[in-house]
């Protein structure tokens, strides 16, 4: 029987795999806008070739996104070295009570491997380490494929990935929280912040907890990490005394994990994510840079501070 099905167009094939391309790009860059640039560049390359000669569009597109993402990372390295304060990934958010929409961003395996904690940890890796590690761990690329992409021997790629894995695993919590525990801690922490209760804040934190905040030189934020639960509580207490602004909280899913937004007079003030270890908050990530909150504000339907 003759198959009369029309062959898929380049546009249709790319649309089918766009979520994967975005997933590669976002994991590599930690930025939605930079990831979209990589997606666009990948499309331009895809549109310029004879797709009839491609045996596996998914593999071709993943490899192309990996190469372009690596090039992008190399260019970003200089920019991030001059970044004011701490650099945190741009969050992907949705309201905690929303039904997920089937966008490329939502189709990522969010809770699995793009938590803020992991993306922040990946910033410690060199561009080639990050690319090799992510393609191998998140996208099941073989050492032979990574060898071709990086232009290095398979043995060298094994060493790169092994070194990257050790560095990433060293920074991960010993006991991962389930969603219920994570949600409860996020709610308790947000309530303690909103009610300005230092005792309740301290009860949520591991003694050696660390806080990272990203203002990018455009919003008030700590320029360096703040170490220990005591210092973190003092940090928040000091802010509340110097800048007595009433804040409301909004429960969110941030890169697939429970967190919350802080609202001032109905405007998005910041987004707070956290890493949980054995029932306590081990790390706090506060995003304040308005450039990285624009999409979040649009998604949540609230105005951004200063707008």
């Amino acid at each position: 029987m003759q198959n009369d099905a029309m062959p898929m167009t380049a546009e249709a094939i790319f649309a089918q795999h766009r979520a994967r391309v975005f997933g590669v790009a976002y994991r590599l860059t930690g930025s939605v806008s930079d990831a979209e640039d990589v997606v666009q560049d990948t499309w331009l390359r895809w549109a310029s070739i004879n797709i009839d000669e491609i045996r596996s569009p998914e593999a071709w597109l993943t490899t192309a996104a990996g190469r372009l993402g690596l090039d992008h990372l190399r260019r970003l390295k200089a920019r991030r070295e001059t970044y004011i304060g701490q650099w945190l990934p741009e969050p992907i958010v949705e309201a905690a009570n929303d039904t997920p929409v089937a966008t490329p961003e939502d189709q990522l395996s969010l809770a699995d491997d793009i938590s803020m904690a992991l993306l922040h940890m990946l910033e410690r890796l060199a561009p080639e380490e990050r690319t090799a590690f992510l393609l191998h761990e998140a996208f099941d690329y073989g050492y032979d494929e990574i060898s071709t992409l990086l232009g290095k021997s398979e043995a060298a790629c094994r060493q790169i990935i092994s070194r990257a894995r050790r560095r990433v695993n060293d920074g991960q919590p010993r006991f991962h929280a389930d969603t219920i525990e994570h949600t409860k801690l996020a709610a308790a922490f947000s309530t303690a912040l909103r009610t300005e209760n230092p005792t309740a804040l301290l009860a949520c934190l591991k003694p050696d907890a660390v806080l990272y905040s990203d203002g990018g030189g455009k919003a008030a934020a700590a320029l360096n990490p703040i170490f220990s639960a005591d210092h973190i509580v003092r940090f928040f207490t000091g802010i509340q005394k110097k800048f007595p602004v009433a804040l409301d909280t909004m429960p969110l899913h941030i890169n697939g994990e429970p967190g919350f937004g802080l609202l001032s007079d109905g405007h998005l003030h910041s987004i707070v994510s956290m890493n949980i270890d054995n029932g306590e908050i081990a790390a706090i990530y506060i995003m304040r840079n308005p450039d990285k909150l624009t999409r979040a504000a649009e998604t949540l339907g609230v105005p951004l501070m200063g707008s």
Side-chain angles (χ1 to χ4, degrees), residues 184-221:
K184 286 182 178 178
L185 264 173
F189 189 70
S190 67
T191 299
L193 275 181
R194 179 170 46 80
T195 58
E196 302 183 11
N197 186 333
T199 303
L201 277 178
L202 193 62
C204 295
L205 301 170
K206 285 189 68 177
D208 60 350
V210 57
L211 179 147
Y212 305 94
S213 58
D214 180 346
K218 300 182 179 182

Side-chain angles (χ1 to χ4, degrees), residues 277-288:
D277 185 4
N278 199 24
E280 296 175 304
I281 297 173
I284 304 164
Y285 309 93
I286 303 178
M287 177 55 62
R288 295 230 52 225

Side-chain angles (χ1 to χ4, degrees), residues 10-28:
E11 291 88 346
I13 295 172
F14 188 81
Q16 186 179 54
H17 299 290
R18 189 186 186 282
R20 185 178 181 88
V21 173
F22 181 90
V24 173
Y26 178 71
R27 288 171 174 88
L28 284 174

Side-chain angles (χ1 to χ4, degrees), residues 100-120:
V101 181
T103 65
E105 292 84 350
D106 296 323
Q107 291 175 34
L108 294 172
S109 300
L110 291 174
D112 289 341
D113 57 8
I114 65 159
S115 67
M116 293 293 284
L118 177 59
L119 290 179
H120 184 237

Side-chain angles (χ1 to χ4, degrees), residues 112-220:
D112 289 341
D113 57 8
I114 65 159
S115 67
M116 293 293 284
L118 177 59
L119 290 179
H120 184 237
M121 184 66 61
L122 291 175
E123 285 298 310
R124 302 180 185 182
L125 304 181
E128 288 188 349
E129 285 182 313
R130 183 167 181 162
T131 303
F133 174 79
L134 285 170
L135 288 177
H136 183 71
E137 299 292 316
F139 296 95
D140 298 320
Y141 258 46
Y143 294 108
D144 56 336
E145 296 171 295
I146 294 171
S147 170
T148 300
L149 190 147
L150 295 183
K152 297 181 180 292
S153 68
E154 287 189 38
C157 290
R158 287 179 184 272
Q159 290 181 344
I160 289 172
I161 292 169
S162 177
R163 184 169 61 245
R165 187 185 295 117
R166 285 196 302 271
R167 294 182 69 184
V168 170
N169 288 341
D170 285 347
Q172 294 300 299
R174 294 168 299 161
F175 307 101
H176 290 275
D178 60 29
T179 301
I180 294 175
E181 181 183 45
H182 201 135
T183 301
K184 286 182 178 178
L185 264 173
F189 189 70
S190 67
T191 299
L193 275 181
R194 179 170 46 80
T195 58
E196 302 183 11
N197 186 333
T199 303
L201 277 178
L202 193 62
C204 295
L205 301 170
K206 285 189 68 177
D208 60 350
V210 57
L211 179 147
Y212 305 94
S213 58
D214 180 346
K218 300 182 179 182

Side-chain angles (χ1 to χ4, degrees), residues 36 38 205:
E36 288 174 345
V38 172
L205 301 170

